[in-house]
């Protein structure tokens, strides 16, 4: 039965295609999303406040810490101690990068005496999930932004770029299975159906007591500057350690329901 299910999943994955050229072209929305965050900043200041615990932000493919600066500045101003990943540009799973990230999380855990929350943008989210699997006692929660941790590895518009910069031309079934496994800590996947880089279905996890999906409207490249993403991140991080609850779409007098659509809808 398990073997049959694996075959069915594989067939479904093969049907997934990269986002259309129209959605890819709409990635130019990112500067407008940044502008929307600047306009909404007075409102974002009223978002849930943090308890000072450390948060590490991991960038996406071909991105570095400079592109997550706005998000980290927002986190710092919201009551967290925000950290960059400090591994340069994300060129994929190069030798020693994941080990360096694991060591950095251990260092932050010891420095603060608190568990570390991880926010990973795109490929950075896959790194974040793997770190949490390696350090379940040191990671508080994982939040991924447009991260394709399931589905077909080529259901995106940058798989050729990934192969070029990472030097890895194929991902075998064993690796795919490992990447799909959920981290043993609370995890939130924030995704957009209008993502022009990765197929949104690849960013949706099976929901459970420690796993959820939050849908936003926006581009892939704008995930780290989108005001609705920032609000959702603040809401998730503000939860008391050990008392994680799923995102309330009916919160704030129903305003959340107007902004965040039901991720389970057909």
């Amino acid at each position: 039965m398990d073997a049959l299910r694996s075959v069915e999943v594989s067939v479904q994955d093969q049907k997934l295609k990269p986002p259309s050229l129209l959605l890819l072209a709409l990635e130019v929305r990112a500067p407008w999303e940044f502008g929307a965050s600047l306009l909404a900043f007075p409102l974002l200041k009223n978002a849930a406040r943090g308890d000072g615990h450390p948060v590490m932000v991991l960038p996406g493919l071909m991105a570095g810490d400079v592109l997550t600066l706005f998000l980290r500045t927002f986190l710092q101003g919201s009551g967290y101690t925000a950290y960059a990943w400090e591994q340069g540009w994300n060129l994929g799973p190069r030798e020693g990068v994941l080990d360096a990230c694991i060591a950095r999380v251990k260092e932050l855990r010891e420095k603060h005496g608190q568990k570390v929350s991880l926010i990973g943008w795109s490929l950075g989210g896959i790194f974040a999930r793997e770190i949490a699997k390696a350090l379940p006692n040191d990671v508080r929660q994982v939040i991924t932004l447009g991260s394709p941790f399931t589905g077909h590895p080529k259901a995106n518009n940058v798989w050729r770029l990934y192969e070029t910069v990472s030097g890895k031309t194929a991902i075998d079934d064993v690796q795919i299975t490992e990447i799909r496994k959920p981290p043993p800590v609370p995890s939130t996947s924030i995704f957009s159906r209008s993502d022009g880089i990765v197929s949104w279905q690849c960013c949706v996890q099976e929901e459970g007591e420690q796993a959820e999906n939050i849908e936003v409207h926006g581009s892939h490249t704008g995930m780290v500057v989108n005001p609705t993403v920032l609000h959702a991140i603040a809401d998730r991080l503000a939860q008391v350690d050990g008392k994680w609850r799923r995102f309330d779409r009916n919160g704030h007098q129903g305003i959340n329901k107007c902004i965040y659509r039901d991720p389970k809808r057909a």
Side-chain angles (χ1 to χ4, degrees):
M1 188 65 181
D2 289 340
L4 177 59
R5 184 175 182 277
S6 296
V7 171
E8 291 175 345
V9 171
S10 177
V11 171
Q12 292 172 357
D13 291 346
Q14 290 289 346
K15 294 179 180 179
L16 287 178
K17 302 296 182 183
S20 67
L21 291 178
L22 173 60
L23 287 178
L24 180 60
L26 287 175
E27 285 297 307
V28 298
R29 291 173 291 172
W32 280 267
E33 293 173 78
F34 177 61
S37 283
L38 293 179
L39 290 174
F41 219 76
L43 295 175
L44 289 172
K45 285 184 177 180
N46 295 323
R49 304 292 297 178
D51 59 2
H53 81 268
V55 181
M56 189 168 84
V57 183
L58 296 88
L61 179 67
M62 290 297 290
D65 293 329
V66 66
L67 294 180
T68 64
L69 179 59
F70 184 77
L71 172 55
R72 286 183 282 116
T73 300
F74 169 74
L75 293 173
Q76 200 74 34
S78 298
Y80 302 96
T81 308
Y83 290 92
W85 85 322
E86 295 187 352
Q87 296 300 312
W89 297 95
N90 190 340
L91 303 179
R94 293 166 294 152
E95 188 70 30
V97 172
L98 184 58
D99 289 338
C101 289
I102 290 174
R104 181 156 171 75
V105 170
K106 288 181 177 179
E107 175 188 333
L108 296 177
R109 170 75 156 104
E110 183 176 352
K111 176 181 178 180
H112 290 271
Q114 293 177 287
K115 292 182 180 179
V116 183
S117 288
L118 302 176
I119 300 176
W121 174 28
S122 194
L123 180 60
I126 297 177
F127 274 96
R129 286 165 62 93
E130 295 306 306
I131 294 168
K133 293 172 190 177
L135 301 173
N137 296 321
D138 298 320
V139 174
R140 181 161 167 168
Q141 67 173 300
V142 172
I143 300 174
T144 58
L145 313 177
S147 298
F149 47 77
T150 187
H152 195 275
K154 290 187 177 180
N156 61 76
N157 283 313
V158 293
W159 65 268
R160 290 185 179 86
L161 175 63
Y162 171 83
E163 291 185 350
T164 299
V165 301
S166 69
K168 299 183 180 298
T169 57
I171 301 177
D172 60 40
D173 292 339
V174 174
Q175 290 176 307
I176 292 174
T177 300
E178 288 301 314
I179 290 173
R180 286 179 175 175
K181 289 180 180 178
V185 301
S187 63
T188 299
S189 174
I190 299 178
F191 72 96
S192 169
R193 295 195 188 212
S194 59
D195 190 316
I197 302 298
V198 304
S199 175
W200 66 267
Q201 294 94 332
C202 297
C203 307
V204 177
Q205 61 184 338
E206 183 176 348
E207 296 196 339
E209 292 183 358
Q210 290 196 116
E212 65 178 351
N213 302 292
I214 299 177
E215 182 182 349
V216 298
H217 185 74
S219 67
H220 184 89
T221 51
M223 280 280 183
V224 288
V225 295
N226 185 303
T228 60
V229 173
L230 298 180
H231 178 270
I233 288 174
D235 180 273
R236 301 292 75 207
L237 291 177
Q239 298 177 97
V240 176
D241 187 22
K243 296 183 179 180
W244 187 88
R245 292 184 179 181
R246 291 170 64 178
F247 184 67
D248 181 12
R249 289 183 56 248
N250 296 311
H252 299 284
Q253 289 77 47
I255 295 177
N256 276 2
K257 197 169 185 177
C258 298
I259 299 175
Y260 303 97
R261 303 188 68 181
D262 182 1
K264 295 181 181 179
R265 73 183 195 282

